[in-house]
Amino acid sequence: MAKCIDYFTANKAQMEFDKYRQQGMQIGSGVVESAGRQVVGPRMKRPGSHWSVTGANDVLAIKCCLTNHRWVDFLHWKAQQAVAA
């Protein structure tokens, strides 16, 4: 019981669901799960595919940016990755 109380106390600010709904935000996981099935799964689970973590992250970043029409964001992210390396 104490673990549950500690969890809810520590995460109270993230659980203001009425406030999030009023702002038009999604509070369920369905949108994310659907994106995983529609965007991630088909690209990453092709027959014979083997991915490193870095390679998978890069390919998924490109795929998500193309799907969301945010190519400029991907180029910015990739430039930051190059500077950090």
Side-chain angles (χ1 to χ4, degrees), residues 16-55:
E16 297 176 353
F17 299 122
D18 289 339
K19 180 174 126 184
Y20 298 140
R21 281 192 191 109
Q22 289 172 355
Q23 294 175 10
M25 295 181 177
Q26 296 287 330
I27 62 165
S29 63
V31 174
V32 173
E33 291 174 21
S34 177
R37 284 190 300 275
Q38 294 179 18
V39 177
V40 176
R43 182 63 185 99
M44 303 307 292
K45 295 181 180 179
R46 292 183 177 173
S49 294
H50 299 284
W51 298 96
S52 67
V53 172
T54 302

Side-chain angles (χ1 to χ4, degrees), residues 29-80:
S29 63
V31 174
V32 173
E33 291 174 21
S34 177
R37 284 190 300 275
Q38 294 179 18
V39 177
V40 176
R43 182 63 185 99
M44 303 307 292
K45 295 181 180 179
R46 292 183 177 173
S49 294
H50 299 284
W51 298 96
S52 67
V53 172
T54 302
N57 285 336
D58 287 349
V59 167
L60 290 175
I62 294 169
K63 178 67 174 171
C64 289
C65 287
L66 289 173
T67 300
N68 294 310
H69 307 287
R70 298 183 71 160
W71 186 245
V72 173
D73 292 338
F74 171 75
L75 294 176
H76 179 71
W77 173 79
K78 198 60 183 167
Q80 287 180 330

